[in-house]
Amino acid sequence: MIINSPAIVIQSIRYGEADLIVSLFTKTEGLRSYMQRGVLKSKKGKIRSSFFQPLMLLEIEASHKNKGTLERIKDARVLTHFNSLHTDFVKSSLVFFISDILKSSIQEEEANVDLFEYLQTTILWLDTNEAIGNFHITFLIKLTQYLGFFPDVSDVDYEYFNMQDGIFQAGKTNLYCVKGDHVSKFKIFLGTTFEESMNIRLSKIARSEILTMLLVYFELHLHGFKKPKSLSVLREIFN
């Protein structure tokens, strides 16, 4: 079957001397993996290895056999040539962090158009904005809406956040109930836009504690989720 679809590069892994195994989140087919033969040595081919940097936005034509094996990209073009996403050190660190998060969060080989459009919009926003100090916090919170475990805010005035159940409550009922300044700050993010959330003032400690809490929250709600390898770099930058 031949498919044509916009796609987001999640990761690419070198295979041998000249090949790449590429993981793409496609708009029409969900998460798919492809073997690109000879792309690392090809100088004249239409498909370049530079196309497969993390979070690149592509338009692909691909052959899908749907047999659980690696598929093949027949043609690809870059949809957006970024201004700063892969050249600005802070943004490129966020790119690797987001890529790591998505590797553990997206598993389905089926379309999720709303999630795709959220990721596409978010990537473009990051490329074109300079105030990005709270970007990773906002990105993770909004991502939970599309993965099905956005916190229930009906009792948001209670001081405890129960990470296991995704609710706010008056007292502690399990090991995953937390309270404190970082929970109070976390509440402010809920329901804000990306632009508004960049104006939320956080101490280094609060930013770090919110991030730690969110990653535990993801671990509790996503089977197989792993803390991103890029986390230490991100903490160093934003702390």
Side-chain angles (χ1 to χ4, degrees), residues 3-10 24-32 34 57-60 64 79 106 108-121:
I3 69 107
N4 290 275
S5 178
I8 298 169
V9 179
I10 304 301
L24 304 182
F25 182 52
T26 70
K27 188 172 185 177
T28 62
E29 307 293 324
L31 186 70
R32 295 297 178 116
Y34 301 87
L57 301 175
L58 306 176
E59 180 76 32
I60 65 165
H64 284 191
L79 280 178
I106 303 175
E108 301 83 6
E109 287 191 354
E110 59 184 35
N112 186 334
V113 174
D114 289 341
L115 175 57
F116 183 91
E117 291 180 348
Y118 166 67
L119 295 176
Q120 184 178 44
T121 300

PDB file of all heavy atoms in Angstrom, residues 3-10 24-32 34 57-60 64 79 106 108-121:
ATOM      1  N   ILE A   3       1.220   5.185   0.797  1.00  0.00           N
ATOM      2  CA  ILE A   3       0.573   6.234   1.586  1.00  0.00           C
ATOM      3  C   ILE A   3       1.299   7.561   1.350  1.00  0.00           C
ATOM      4  O   ILE A   3       2.507   7.595   1.096  1.00  0.00           O
ATOM      5  CB  ILE A   3       0.517   5.892   3.086  1.00  0.00           C
ATOM      6  CG1 ILE A   3       1.934   5.910   3.717  1.00  0.00           C
ATOM      7  CG2 ILE A   3      -0.133   4.538   3.314  1.00  0.00           C
ATOM      8  CD1 ILE A   3       2.231   7.064   4.599  1.00  0.00           C
ATOM      9  N   ASN A   4       0.544   8.630   1.436  1.00  0.00           N
ATOM     10  CA  ASN A   4       1.105   9.975   1.402  1.00  0.00           C
ATOM     11  C   ASN A   4       0.642  10.683   2.666  1.00  0.00           C
ATOM     12  O   ASN A   4      -0.565  10.733   2.932  1.00  0.00           O
ATOM     13  CB  ASN A   4       0.629  10.739   0.167  1.00  0.00           C
ATOM     14  CG  ASN A   4       1.225  10.190  -1.111  1.00  0.00           C
ATOM     15  OD1 ASN A   4       2.332  10.556  -1.505  1.00  0.00           O
ATOM     16  ND2 ASN A   4       0.496   9.276  -1.761  1.00  0.00           N
ATOM     17  N   SER A   5       1.590  11.225   3.422  1.00  0.00           N
ATOM     18  CA  SER A   5       1.210  11.792   4.714  1.00  0.00           C
ATOM     19  C   SER A   5       2.246  12.782   5.226  1.00  0.00           C
ATOM     20  O   SER A   5       3.445  12.589   5.023  1.00  0.00           O
ATOM     21  CB  SER A   5       1.050  10.669   5.749  1.00  0.00           C
ATOM     22  OG  SER A   5       0.730  11.190   7.028  1.00  0.00           O
ATOM     23  N   PRO A   6       1.800  13.823   5.923  1.00  0.00           N
ATOM     24  CA  PRO A   6       2.740  14.599   6.737  1.00  0.00           C
ATOM     25  C   PRO A   6       3.287  13.697   7.842  1.00  0.00           C
ATOM     26  O   PRO A   6       2.600  12.755   8.285  1.00  0.00           O
ATOM     27  CB  PRO A   6       1.870  15.725   7.315  1.00  0.00           C
ATOM     28  CG  PRO A   6       0.657  15.769   6.455  1.00  0.00           C
ATOM     29  CD  PRO A   6       0.424  14.361   5.990  1.00  0.00           C
ATOM     30  N   ALA A   7       4.491  13.975   8.291  1.00  0.00           N
ATOM     31  CA  ALA A   7       5.115  13.137   9.314  1.00  0.00           C
ATOM     32  C   ALA A   7       6.068  13.959  10.173  1.00  0.00           C
ATOM     33  O   ALA A   7       6.658  14.938   9.710  1.00  0.00           O
ATOM     34  CB  ALA A   7       5.866  11.976   8.660  1.00  0.00           C
ATOM     35  N   ILE A   8       6.206  13.537  11.425  1.00  0.00           N
ATOM     36  CA  ILE A   8       7.138  14.155  12.367  1.00  0.00           C
ATOM     37  C   ILE A   8       8.211  13.131  12.709  1.00  0.00           C
ATOM     38  O   ILE A   8       7.893  11.990  13.078  1.00  0.00           O
ATOM     39  CB  ILE A   8       6.409  14.608  13.646  1.00  0.00           C
ATOM     40  CG1 ILE A   8       5.351  15.658  13.321  1.00  0.00           C
ATOM     41  CG2 ILE A   8       7.404  15.155  14.672  1.00  0.00           C
ATOM     42  CD1 ILE A   8       4.408  15.961  14.481  1.00  0.00           C
ATOM     43  N   VAL A   9       9.468  13.519  12.596  1.00  0.00           N
ATOM     44  CA  VAL A   9      10.572  12.607  12.928  1.00  0.00           C
ATOM     45  C   VAL A   9      10.687  12.492  14.449  1.00  0.00           C
ATOM     46  O   VAL A   9      10.869  13.490  15.152  1.00  0.00           O
ATOM     47  CB  VAL A   9      11.903  13.109  12.352  1.00  0.00           C
ATOM     48  CG1 VAL A   9      13.041  12.165  12.735  1.00  0.00           C
ATOM     49  CG2 VAL A   9      11.817  13.248  10.833  1.00  0.00           C
ATOM     50  N   ILE A  10      10.564  11.273  14.945  1.00  0.00           N
ATOM     51  CA  ILE A  10      10.725  11.029  16.382  1.00  0.00           C
ATOM     52  C   ILE A  10      12.175  10.685  16.703  1.00  0.00           C
ATOM     53  O   ILE A  10      12.776  11.236  17.614  1.00  0.00           O
ATOM     54  CB  ILE A  10       9.790   9.894  16.855  1.00  0.00           C
ATOM     55  CG1 ILE A  10       8.329  10.215  16.511  1.00  0.00           C
ATOM     56  CG2 ILE A  10       9.952   9.666  18.356  1.00  0.00           C
ATOM     57  CD1 ILE A  10       7.800  11.503  17.109  1.00  0.00           C
ATOM     58  N   LEU A  24       8.895   7.590  12.571  1.00  0.00           N
ATOM     59  CA  LEU A  24       8.093   8.761  12.218  1.00  0.00           C
ATOM     60  C   LEU A  24       6.691   8.640  12.804  1.00  0.00           C
ATOM     61  O   LEU A  24       6.101   7.551  12.787  1.00  0.00           O
ATOM     62  CB  LEU A  24       7.963   8.913  10.699  1.00  0.00           C
ATOM     63  CG  LEU A  24       9.229   9.000   9.846  1.00  0.00           C
ATOM     64  CD1 LEU A  24       8.834   9.200   8.380  1.00  0.00           C
ATOM     65  CD2 LEU A  24      10.116  10.140  10.311  1.00  0.00           C
ATOM     66  N   PHE A  25       6.170   9.757  13.289  1.00  0.00           N
ATOM     67  CA  PHE A  25       4.759   9.802  13.671  1.00  0.00           C
ATOM     68  C   PHE A  25       4.019  10.445  12.512  1.00  0.00           C
ATOM     69  O   PHE A  25       4.157  11.638  12.257  1.00  0.00           O
ATOM     70  CB  PHE A  25       4.579  10.604  14.958  1.00  0.00           C
ATOM     71  CG  PHE A  25       3.162  10.659  15.445  1.00  0.00           C
ATOM     72  CD1 PHE A  25       2.422   9.499  15.614  1.00  0.00           C
ATOM     73  CD2 PHE A  25       2.552  11.871  15.727  1.00  0.00           C
ATOM     74  CE1 PHE A  25       1.108   9.544  16.060  1.00  0.00           C
ATOM     75  CE2 PHE A  25       1.242  11.935  16.176  1.00  0.00           C
ATOM     76  CZ  PHE A  25       0.515  10.759  16.350  1.00  0.00           C
ATOM     77  N   THR A  26       3.277   9.631  11.787  1.00  0.00           N
ATOM     78  CA  THR A  26       2.591  10.117  10.595  1.00  0.00           C
ATOM     79  C   THR A  26       1.172  10.552  10.946  1.00  0.00           C
ATOM     80  O   THR A  26       0.558  10.020  11.874  1.00  0.00           O
ATOM     81  CB  THR A  26       2.528   9.045   9.489  1.00  0.00           C
ATOM     82  OG1 THR A  26       1.622   8.009   9.894  1.00  0.00           O
ATOM     83  CG2 THR A  26       3.909   8.446   9.233  1.00  0.00           C
ATOM     84  N   LYS A  27       0.663  11.492  10.170  1.00  0.00           N
ATOM     85  CA  LYS A  27      -0.690  12.006  10.437  1.00  0.00           C
ATOM     86  C   LYS A  27      -1.757  10.969  10.109  1.00  0.00           C
ATOM     87  O   LYS A  27      -2.776  10.878  10.800  1.00  0.00           O
ATOM     88  CB  LYS A  27      -0.933  13.276   9.619  1.00  0.00           C
ATOM     89  CG  LYS A  27      -2.229  13.993   9.965  1.00  0.00           C
ATOM     90  CD  LYS A  27      -2.319  15.329   9.264  1.00  0.00           C
ATOM     91  CE  LYS A  27      -3.563  16.107   9.700  1.00  0.00           C
ATOM     92  NZ  LYS A  27      -3.609  17.461   9.070  1.00  0.00           N
ATOM     93  N   THR A  28      -1.515  10.155   9.101  1.00  0.00           N
ATOM     94  CA  THR A  28      -2.549   9.228   8.636  1.00  0.00           C
ATOM     95  C   THR A  28      -2.407   7.802   9.154  1.00  0.00           C
ATOM     96  O   THR A  28      -3.385   7.047   9.179  1.00  0.00           O
ATOM     97  CB  THR A  28      -2.575   9.167   7.097  1.00  0.00           C
ATOM     98  OG1 THR A  28      -1.311   8.668   6.628  1.00  0.00           O
ATOM     99  CG2 THR A  28      -2.847  10.535   6.500  1.00  0.00           C
ATOM    100  N   GLU A  29      -1.189   7.413   9.581  1.00  0.00           N
ATOM    101  CA  GLU A  29      -0.945   6.012   9.945  1.00  0.00           C
ATOM    102  C   GLU A  29      -0.367   5.828  11.344  1.00  0.00           C
ATOM    103  O   GLU A  29      -0.036   4.713  11.731  1.00  0.00           O
ATOM    104  CB  GLU A  29       0.010   5.368   8.925  1.00  0.00           C
ATOM    105  CG  GLU A  29      -0.407   5.495   7.472  1.00  0.00           C
ATOM    106  CD  GLU A  29      -1.660   4.716   7.146  1.00  0.00           C
ATOM    107  OE1 GLU A  29      -1.842   3.621   7.715  1.00  0.00           O
ATOM    108  OE2 GLU A  29      -2.476   5.198   6.329  1.00  0.00           O
ATOM    109  N   GLY A  30      -0.227   6.910  12.096  1.00  0.00           N
ATOM    110  CA  GLY A  30       0.353   6.793  13.428  1.00  0.00           C
ATOM    111  C   GLY A  30       1.857   6.582  13.390  1.00  0.00           C
ATOM    112  O   GLY A  30       2.539   7.000  12.453  1.00  0.00           O
ATOM    113  N   LEU A  31       2.377   5.914  14.393  1.00  0.00           N
ATOM    114  CA  LEU A  31       3.816   5.703  14.524  1.00  0.00           C
ATOM    115  C   LEU A  31       4.273   4.571  13.605  1.00  0.00           C
ATOM    116  O   LEU A  31       3.734   3.462  13.662  1.00  0.00           O
ATOM    117  CB  LEU A  31       4.166   5.363  15.972  1.00  0.00           C
ATOM    118  CG  LEU A  31       5.653   5.255  16.302  1.00  0.00           C
ATOM    119  CD1 LEU A  31       6.304   6.631  16.242  1.00  0.00           C
ATOM    120  CD2 LEU A  31       5.852   4.650  17.694  1.00  0.00           C
ATOM    121  N   ARG A  32       5.270   4.846  12.779  1.00  0.00           N
ATOM    122  CA  ARG A  32       5.812   3.836  11.871  1.00  0.00           C
ATOM    123  C   ARG A  32       7.337   3.921  11.840  1.00  0.00           C
ATOM    124  O   ARG A  32       7.913   4.994  12.027  1.00  0.00           O
ATOM    125  CB  ARG A  32       5.264   4.031  10.454  1.00  0.00           C
ATOM    126  CG  ARG A  32       3.761   3.819  10.336  1.00  0.00           C
ATOM    127  CD  ARG A  32       3.370   2.388  10.671  1.00  0.00           C
ATOM    128  NE  ARG A  32       1.941   2.187  10.613  1.00  0.00           N
ATOM    129  CZ  ARG A  32       1.333   1.370   9.756  1.00  0.00           C
ATOM    130  NH1 ARG A  32       2.063   0.679   8.872  1.00  0.00           N
ATOM    131  NH2 ARG A  32       0.023   1.220   9.783  1.00  0.00           N
ATOM    132  N   TYR A  34      10.909   2.949   9.572  1.00  0.00           N
ATOM    133  CA  TYR A  34      11.336   2.784   8.182  1.00  0.00           C
ATOM    134  C   TYR A  34      12.836   2.485   8.123  1.00  0.00           C
ATOM    135  O   TYR A  34      13.614   3.013   8.919  1.00  0.00           O
ATOM    136  CB  TYR A  34      11.065   4.064   7.386  1.00  0.00           C
ATOM    137  CG  TYR A  34       9.615   4.481   7.368  1.00  0.00           C
ATOM    138  CD1 TYR A  34       9.103   5.286   8.386  1.00  0.00           C
ATOM    139  CD2 TYR A  34       8.767   4.079   6.337  1.00  0.00           C
ATOM    140  CE1 TYR A  34       7.766   5.665   8.385  1.00  0.00           C
ATOM    141  CE2 TYR A  34       7.444   4.456   6.322  1.00  0.00           C
ATOM    142  CZ  TYR A  34       6.946   5.247   7.350  1.00  0.00           C
ATOM    143  OH  TYR A  34       5.617   5.623   7.342  1.00  0.00           O
ATOM    144  N   LEU A  57       9.636  18.260  10.246  1.00  0.00           N
ATOM    145  CA  LEU A  57       8.297  18.107   9.681  1.00  0.00           C
ATOM    146  C   LEU A  57       8.441  17.770   8.200  1.00  0.00           C
ATOM    147  O   LEU A  57       8.995  18.562   7.431  1.00  0.00           O
ATOM    148  CB  LEU A  57       7.491  19.390   9.866  1.00  0.00           C
ATOM    149  CG  LEU A  57       7.307  19.864  11.318  1.00  0.00           C
ATOM    150  CD1 LEU A  57       6.600  21.212  11.347  1.00  0.00           C
ATOM    151  CD2 LEU A  57       6.530  18.829  12.124  1.00  0.00           C
ATOM    152  N   LEU A  58       7.943  16.606   7.810  1.00  0.00           N
ATOM    153  CA  LEU A  58       8.119  16.105   6.451  1.00  0.00           C
ATOM    154  C   LEU A  58       6.778  15.804   5.792  1.00  0.00           C
ATOM    155  O   LEU A  58       5.758  15.636   6.467  1.00  0.00           O
ATOM    156  CB  LEU A  58       8.947  14.807   6.465  1.00  0.00           C
ATOM    157  CG  LEU A  58      10.299  14.811   7.168  1.00  0.00           C
ATOM    158  CD1 LEU A  58      10.885  13.403   7.149  1.00  0.00           C
ATOM    159  CD2 LEU A  58      11.250  15.802   6.518  1.00  0.00           C
ATOM    160  N   GLU A  59       6.829  15.716   4.481  1.00  0.00           N
ATOM    161  CA  GLU A  59       5.752  15.119   3.691  1.00  0.00           C
ATOM    162  C   GLU A  59       6.362  13.886   3.046  1.00  0.00           C
ATOM    163  O   GLU A  59       7.373  13.991   2.343  1.00  0.00           O
ATOM    164  CB  GLU A  59       5.250  16.087   2.623  1.00  0.00           C
ATOM    165  CG  GLU A  59       4.125  15.540   1.765  1.00  0.00           C
ATOM    166  CD  GLU A  59       2.774  15.527   2.454  1.00  0.00           C
ATOM    167  OE1 GLU A  59       2.529  16.421   3.287  1.00  0.00           O
ATOM    168  OE2 GLU A  59       1.977  14.622   2.159  1.00  0.00           O
ATOM    169  N   ILE A  60       5.783  12.713   3.309  1.00  0.00           N
ATOM    170  CA  ILE A  60       6.391  11.481   2.800  1.00  0.00           C
ATOM    171  C   ILE A  60       5.436  10.712   1.887  1.00  0.00           C
ATOM    172  O   ILE A  60       4.220  10.792   2.015  1.00  0.00           O
ATOM    173  CB  ILE A  60       6.848  10.544   3.946  1.00  0.00           C
ATOM    174  CG1 ILE A  60       5.644  10.028   4.750  1.00  0.00           C
ATOM    175  CG2 ILE A  60       7.868  11.226   4.843  1.00  0.00           C
ATOM    176  CD1 ILE A  60       5.969   8.841   5.641  1.00  0.00           C
ATOM    177  N   HIS A  64       3.828   0.772   2.578  1.00  0.00           N
ATOM    178  CA  HIS A  64       3.507   0.074   3.822  1.00  0.00           C
ATOM    179  C   HIS A  64       3.011  -1.340   3.520  1.00  0.00           C
ATOM    180  O   HIS A  64       1.997  -1.519   2.831  1.00  0.00           O
ATOM    181  CB  HIS A  64       2.427   0.829   4.594  1.00  0.00           C
ATOM    182  CG  HIS A  64       2.920   2.052   5.293  1.00  0.00           C
ATOM    183  ND1 HIS A  64       2.169   2.748   6.210  1.00  0.00           N
ATOM    184  CD2 HIS A  64       4.103   2.711   5.215  1.00  0.00           C
ATOM    185  CE1 HIS A  64       2.859   3.792   6.663  1.00  0.00           C
ATOM    186  NE2 HIS A  64       4.044   3.778   6.065  1.00  0.00           N
ATOM    187  N   LEU A  79       8.713  19.928   4.994  1.00  0.00           N
ATOM    188  CA  LEU A  79       7.563  20.831   4.984  1.00  0.00           C
ATOM    189  C   LEU A  79       7.923  22.220   5.483  1.00  0.00           C
ATOM    190  O   LEU A  79       7.412  23.224   4.991  1.00  0.00           O
ATOM    191  CB  LEU A  79       6.433  20.265   5.854  1.00  0.00           C
ATOM    192  CG  LEU A  79       5.552  19.185   5.240  1.00  0.00           C
ATOM    193  CD1 LEU A  79       4.520  18.715   6.262  1.00  0.00           C
ATOM    194  CD2 LEU A  79       4.842  19.708   4.001  1.00  0.00           C
ATOM    195  N   ILE A 106       4.313   7.579  22.575  1.00  0.00           N
ATOM    196  CA  ILE A 106       3.507   7.210  21.409  1.00  0.00           C
ATOM    197  C   ILE A 106       3.862   5.786  20.997  1.00  0.00           C
ATOM    198  O   ILE A 106       5.010   5.496  20.689  1.00  0.00           O
ATOM    199  CB  ILE A 106       3.757   8.173  20.231  1.00  0.00           C
ATOM    200  CG1 ILE A 106       3.471   9.627  20.642  1.00  0.00           C
ATOM    201  CG2 ILE A 106       2.892   7.780  19.042  1.00  0.00           C
ATOM    202  CD1 ILE A 106       3.811  10.636  19.563  1.00  0.00           C
ATOM    203  N   GLU A 108       1.106   3.699  19.282  1.00  0.00           N
ATOM    204  CA  GLU A 108       0.076   3.152  18.413  1.00  0.00           C
ATOM    205  C   GLU A 108       0.396   3.301  16.924  1.00  0.00           C
ATOM    206  O   GLU A 108       0.808   4.367  16.494  1.00  0.00           O
ATOM    207  CB  GLU A 108      -1.284   3.814  18.686  1.00  0.00           C
ATOM    208  CG  GLU A 108      -1.775   3.663  20.100  1.00  0.00           C
ATOM    209  CD  GLU A 108      -1.180   4.689  21.050  1.00  0.00           C
ATOM    210  OE1 GLU A 108      -0.468   5.593  20.566  1.00  0.00           O
ATOM    211  OE2 GLU A 108      -1.391   4.563  22.258  1.00  0.00           O
ATOM    212  N   GLU A 109       0.167   2.240  16.182  1.00  0.00           N
ATOM    213  CA  GLU A 109       0.238   2.302  14.718  1.00  0.00           C
ATOM    214  C   GLU A 109      -1.152   2.623  14.176  1.00  0.00           C
ATOM    215  O   GLU A 109      -1.754   1.851  13.433  1.00  0.00           O
ATOM    216  CB  GLU A 109       0.763   0.987  14.146  1.00  0.00           C
ATOM    217  CG  GLU A 109       2.246   0.770  14.378  1.00  0.00           C
ATOM    218  CD  GLU A 109       2.786  -0.398  13.583  1.00  0.00           C
ATOM    219  OE1 GLU A 109       1.996  -1.108  12.930  1.00  0.00           O
ATOM    220  OE2 GLU A 109       4.013  -0.611  13.610  1.00  0.00           O
ATOM    221  N   GLU A 110      -1.673   3.750  14.594  1.00  0.00           N
ATOM    222  CA  GLU A 110      -2.974   4.202  14.105  1.00  0.00           C
ATOM    223  C   GLU A 110      -3.002   5.720  14.164  1.00  0.00           C
ATOM    224  O   GLU A 110      -2.254   6.349  14.930  1.00  0.00           O
ATOM    225  CB  GLU A 110      -4.117   3.619  14.936  1.00  0.00           C
ATOM    226  CG  GLU A 110      -4.056   3.977  16.400  1.00  0.00           C
ATOM    227  CD  GLU A 110      -5.148   3.309  17.231  1.00  0.00           C
ATOM    228  OE1 GLU A 110      -5.512   2.156  16.922  1.00  0.00           O
ATOM    229  OE2 GLU A 110      -5.627   3.951  18.167  1.00  0.00           O
ATOM    230  N   ALA A 111      -3.848   6.304  13.345  1.00  0.00           N
ATOM    231  CA  ALA A 111      -3.890   7.761  13.249  1.00  0.00           C
ATOM    232  C   ALA A 111      -4.388   8.390  14.546  1.00  0.00           C
ATOM    233  O   ALA A 111      -5.297   7.877  15.192  1.00  0.00           O
ATOM    234  CB  ALA A 111      -4.794   8.175  12.093  1.00  0.00           C
ATOM    235  N   ASN A 112      -3.766   9.498  14.912  1.00  0.00           N
ATOM    236  CA  ASN A 112      -4.253  10.348  16.000  1.00  0.00           C
ATOM    237  C   ASN A 112      -4.027  11.777  15.512  1.00  0.00           C
ATOM    238  O   ASN A 112      -3.016  12.403  15.819  1.00  0.00           O
ATOM    239  CB  ASN A 112      -3.493  10.067  17.300  1.00  0.00           C
ATOM    240  CG  ASN A 112      -4.074  10.822  18.490  1.00  0.00           C
ATOM    241  OD1 ASN A 112      -4.703  11.880  18.325  1.00  0.00           O
ATOM    242  ND2 ASN A 112      -3.863  10.303  19.686  1.00  0.00           N
ATOM    243  N   VAL A 113      -4.988  12.244  14.729  1.00  0.00           N
ATOM    244  CA  VAL A 113      -4.843  13.530  14.050  1.00  0.00           C
ATOM    245  C   VAL A 113      -4.711  14.677  15.048  1.00  0.00           C
ATOM    246  O   VAL A 113      -3.911  15.599  14.854  1.00  0.00           O
ATOM    247  CB  VAL A 113      -6.031  13.770  13.084  1.00  0.00           C
ATOM    248  CG1 VAL A 113      -5.960  15.171  12.483  1.00  0.00           C
ATOM    249  CG2 VAL A 113      -6.018  12.718  11.975  1.00  0.00           C
ATOM    250  N   ASP A 114      -5.483  14.633  16.125  1.00  0.00           N
ATOM    251  CA  ASP A 114      -5.421  15.711  17.124  1.00  0.00           C
ATOM    252  C   ASP A 114      -4.031  15.797  17.747  1.00  0.00           C
ATOM    253  O   ASP A 114      -3.488  16.895  17.922  1.00  0.00           O
ATOM    254  CB  ASP A 114      -6.472  15.487  18.219  1.00  0.00           C
ATOM    255  CG  ASP A 114      -7.896  15.717  17.718  1.00  0.00           C
ATOM    256  OD1 ASP A 114      -8.062  16.380  16.681  1.00  0.00           O
ATOM    257  OD2 ASP A 114      -8.835  15.241  18.378  1.00  0.00           O
ATOM    258  N   LEU A 115      -3.455  14.657  18.090  1.00  0.00           N
ATOM    259  CA  LEU A 115      -2.106  14.643  18.654  1.00  0.00           C
ATOM    260  C   LEU A 115      -1.100  15.142  17.633  1.00  0.00           C
ATOM    261  O   LEU A 115      -0.213  15.937  17.963  1.00  0.00           O
ATOM    262  CB  LEU A 115      -1.739  13.227  19.114  1.00  0.00           C
ATOM    263  CG  LEU A 115      -0.296  13.037  19.615  1.00  0.00           C
ATOM    264  CD1 LEU A 115       0.018  13.982  20.764  1.00  0.00           C
ATOM    265  CD2 LEU A 115      -0.074  11.581  20.031  1.00  0.00           C
ATOM    266  N   PHE A 116      -1.223  14.683  16.401  1.00  0.00           N
ATOM    267  CA  PHE A 116      -0.295  15.135  15.355  1.00  0.00           C
ATOM    268  C   PHE A 116      -0.348  16.652  15.213  1.00  0.00           C
ATOM    269  O   PHE A 116       0.698  17.319  15.170  1.00  0.00           O
ATOM    270  CB  PHE A 116      -0.624  14.469  14.018  1.00  0.00           C
ATOM    271  CG  PHE A 116       0.345  14.843  12.931  1.00  0.00           C
ATOM    272  CD1 PHE A 116       1.468  14.072  12.700  1.00  0.00           C
ATOM    273  CD2 PHE A 116       0.168  15.996  12.172  1.00  0.00           C
ATOM    274  CE1 PHE A 116       2.396  14.431  11.724  1.00  0.00           C
ATOM    275  CE2 PHE A 116       1.075  16.365  11.196  1.00  0.00           C
ATOM    276  CZ  PHE A 116       2.198  15.576  10.970  1.00  0.00           C
ATOM    277  N   GLU A 117      -1.539  17.210  15.146  1.00  0.00           N
ATOM    278  CA  GLU A 117      -1.672  18.652  14.946  1.00  0.00           C
ATOM    279  C   GLU A 117      -1.171  19.429  16.162  1.00  0.00           C
ATOM    280  O   GLU A 117      -0.602  20.519  16.011  1.00  0.00           O
ATOM    281  CB  GLU A 117      -3.123  18.993  14.620  1.00  0.00           C
ATOM    282  CG  GLU A 117      -3.524  18.476  13.235  1.00  0.00           C
ATOM    283  CD  GLU A 117      -4.961  18.790  12.856  1.00  0.00           C
ATOM    284  OE1 GLU A 117      -5.740  19.220  13.751  1.00  0.00           O
ATOM    285  OE2 GLU A 117      -5.322  18.609  11.673  1.00  0.00           O
ATOM    286  N   TYR A 118      -1.364  18.869  17.367  1.00  0.00           N
ATOM    287  CA  TYR A 118      -0.802  19.510  18.563  1.00  0.00           C
ATOM    288  C   TYR A 118       0.722  19.559  18.473  1.00  0.00           C
ATOM    289  O   TYR A 118       1.340  20.610  18.713  1.00  0.00           O
ATOM    290  CB  TYR A 118      -1.214  18.751  19.826  1.00  0.00           C
ATOM    291  CG  TYR A 118      -0.404  19.144  21.045  1.00  0.00           C
ATOM    292  CD1 TYR A 118      -0.508  20.421  21.587  1.00  0.00           C
ATOM    293  CD2 TYR A 118       0.499  18.250  21.618  1.00  0.00           C
ATOM    294  CE1 TYR A 118       0.267  20.795  22.687  1.00  0.00           C
ATOM    295  CE2 TYR A 118       1.268  18.609  22.712  1.00  0.00           C
ATOM    296  CZ  TYR A 118       1.144  19.881  23.243  1.00  0.00           C
ATOM    297  OH  TYR A 118       1.918  20.251  24.322  1.00  0.00           O
ATOM    298  N   LEU A 119       1.337  18.440  18.120  1.00  0.00           N
ATOM    299  CA  LEU A 119       2.799  18.390  18.038  1.00  0.00           C
ATOM    300  C   LEU A 119       3.319  19.324  16.950  1.00  0.00           C
ATOM    301  O   LEU A 119       4.303  20.051  17.158  1.00  0.00           O
ATOM    302  CB  LEU A 119       3.263  16.959  17.779  1.00  0.00           C
ATOM    303  CG  LEU A 119       2.979  15.949  18.899  1.00  0.00           C
ATOM    304  CD1 LEU A 119       3.394  14.554  18.458  1.00  0.00           C
ATOM    305  CD2 LEU A 119       3.673  16.345  20.193  1.00  0.00           C
ATOM    306  N   GLN A 120       2.670  19.322  15.798  1.00  0.00           N
ATOM    307  CA  GLN A 120       3.099  20.193  14.708  1.00  0.00           C
ATOM    308  C   GLN A 120       3.018  21.659  15.118  1.00  0.00           C
ATOM    309  O   GLN A 120       3.964  22.425  14.905  1.00  0.00           O
ATOM    310  CB  GLN A 120       2.240  19.931  13.476  1.00  0.00           C
ATOM    311  CG  GLN A 120       2.660  20.721  12.243  1.00  0.00           C
ATOM    312  CD  GLN A 120       1.810  20.384  11.035  1.00  0.00           C
ATOM    313  OE1 GLN A 120       0.587  20.280  11.135  1.00  0.00           O
ATOM    314  NE2 GLN A 120       2.443  20.197   9.894  1.00  0.00           N
ATOM    315  N   THR A 121       1.907  22.051  15.710  1.00  0.00           N
ATOM    316  CA  THR A 121       1.725  23.438  16.155  1.00  0.00           C
ATOM    317  C   THR A 121       2.756  23.817  17.214  1.00  0.00           C
ATOM    318  O   THR A 121       3.331  24.915  17.184  1.00  0.00           O
ATOM    319  CB  THR A 121       0.304  23.628  16.721  1.00  0.00           C
ATOM    320  OG1 THR A 121      -0.651  23.322  15.709  1.00  0.00           O
ATOM    321  CG2 THR A 121       0.089  25.056  17.190  1.00  0.00           C
TER     322      THR A 121
END
